[in-house]
Amino acid sequence: MRRDGLLRAIAWLAFASVCLAPFVAGAVYRSVWIPLAQFWLLLGGLTAVIRWRGAAEGGPDYAGVAVSRALLPIHALFAVQLTPMPAALLRLLSAGSHAAHFLPDPGDGRFRPLSVSPLATIEAWLYVAGLQGLFLALLGFPIKQRRTVLHALIAVILLLAGEGLWQSRSSHPHHLYGRIQIAVPSGFETAVFGPYLNRNHFATPMAIGAGLAAGLGASLVLENGGAVRLLHLPGAMARAILLVGASLFLTVTAAASGSRSGALAALAALGVVALRTFGKWPLVTTLIAGTAIVTLTGSATFERFMRLDVVQSRWAPWLDMTTLLRFFPIFGSGIGTFAAAYWPYQRNATFEFWQHAHNDYLQWLVEAGVLGLVALGLVVRRLRRDLKCLESARECCLAVAGAFAVQAFLDFPAHVPASAGMLVCVLALSTARRD
């Protein structure tokens, strides 16, 4: 009992940090996310030690072991990218890495790693390890309590949505909380929304919340034998209505933020739930209704869609970024090094600095190379083999994963610590080890 109490206390600490992170600019500042990642890593380490000393066998406890084993190829890739190599070998393995370290100034000619920015890769390794630790820590919640915790997460996201909408109507809508003026890159002064530096970052938890609420509502429908039978259960019916209402509210809030990728992600989450719960035709109806709501509310997203230039805003930069694949084909430029790697090769816009690719899939290919694709494939294969979604949370797990995957195609939610932490939270609370 004492061991279980310690694990629950650690899980609540981890959950509290996930809930607070969005309110600190999404934890994007290094002064915030580095201590946060260290905190998550510490909690995960404590959880692993307590479980090991308790010699627990079976049950969902071992989901953490399965995830840790599955992630070994990613950790091995980090180690390979940070291993110092002689200049001749580096030139053979990666022309881009050799050029970054030895051209135009060869320096002392000593050993250098494949990563073009070792410090950035070390920080990325800490980030990934921190998220792994967060997953382990959150497994301290008993399975029977996890749905309640997911409802608490929805409440936090609703609070975040309320703050964002209130701030947008304040006298200083582009100051954090309507009061704190912050420094942002030129041209992005009006991108601030809610306690986030960018509307797209704010929209990610809205999309996650929309999928989470819709998924939990759908689970209620399925558990009670369908929508018709649910009408005869007032308590369950009331909970389902509240969850669906919360999902629609968060979808509209994502659209109100002006984030096109966020609105699409929220609609995708609703579509996943409708398809799995009711079939193809309700899916079409849900997407049409969602699009109509976004349009009729006169949201900023609809206005920005009307001014969208896909070629200039995304396609042309992405094509330019593929140049890096010629110089870092196998091992990548180093995870976390996209900005440093792309800057010398950029031809899309003079003097325009791209911190991220605005496409997490393309950025992973550039930073991790073909070896990274292989490692990621091994991770996904192992996770599918060893983990399963809990029946009570299957719909919300798939909806949230779908929303995140859609937005990752147009932005970089995996690189926003608060958003990544929220995704890990949902996955940890809705999965268990296969029997």
Side-chain angles (χ1 to χ4, degrees), residues 243-258:
L243 287 168
V244 172
S247 179
L248 293 176
F249 172 72
L250 292 172
T251 300
V252 172
T253 303
S257 71

Side-chain angles (χ1 to χ4, degrees), residues 7 10-11 42-52 133 136-140:
L7 291 174
I10 291 173
L42 173 63
L43 293 181
L46 288 174
T47 299
V49 170
I50 292 172
R51 290 189 185 283
W52 174 70
L136 298 179
L138 289 167
L139 293 179

Side-chain angles (χ1 to χ4, degrees), residues 291-313:
T291 303
I293 290 173
V294 170
T295 303
L296 295 176
T297 54
S299 67
T301 293
F302 180 72
E303 178 185 346
R304 295 187 73 234
F305 265 119
M306 294 298 98
R307 295 185 282 107
L308 177 62
D309 186 346
V310 177
V311 173
Q312 291 300 319
S313 64

Side-chain angles (χ1 to χ4, degrees), residues 16-96:
S17 67
V18 170
C19 294
L20 290 175
F23 295 94
V24 193
V28 295
Y29 291 114
R30 291 179 74 255
S31 59
V32 177
W33 78 257
I34 288 181
L36 183 62
Q38 292 171 335
F39 180 63
W40 288 342
L41 187 57
L42 173 63
L43 293 181
L46 288 174
T47 299
V49 170
I50 292 172
R51 290 189 185 283
W52 174 70
R53 294 191 64 178
E57 295 183 0
D61 293 358
Y62 276 74
V65 175
V67 169
S68 297
R69 288 175 177 170
L71 289 176
L72 286 177
I74 302 296
H75 292 297
L77 178 59
F78 275 111
V80 169
Q81 291 183 334
L82 289 170
T83 301
M85 302 176 182
L89 179 59
L90 191 63
R91 184 174 186 176
L92 178 65
L93 296 179
S94 175

Side-chain angles (χ1 to χ4, degrees), residues 207 210-211 214 244 247-248 251 265-275 282-283 286-287 290 399 403:
V244 172
S247 179
L248 293 176
T251 300
L267 290 175
L270 298 184
V272 169
V273 173
L275 177 63
L283 164 64
T286 299
L287 294 179

Side-chain angles (χ1 to χ4, degrees), residues 127-152:
Y127 181 58
V128 171
L131 291 173
Q132 180 180 341
L134 174 64
F135 187 96
L136 298 179
L138 289 167
L139 293 179
F141 287 116
I143 288 183
K144 292 182 179 180
Q145 191 180 12
R146 292 184 183 181
R147 179 179 284 188
T148 301
V149 179
L150 289 173
H151 282 92

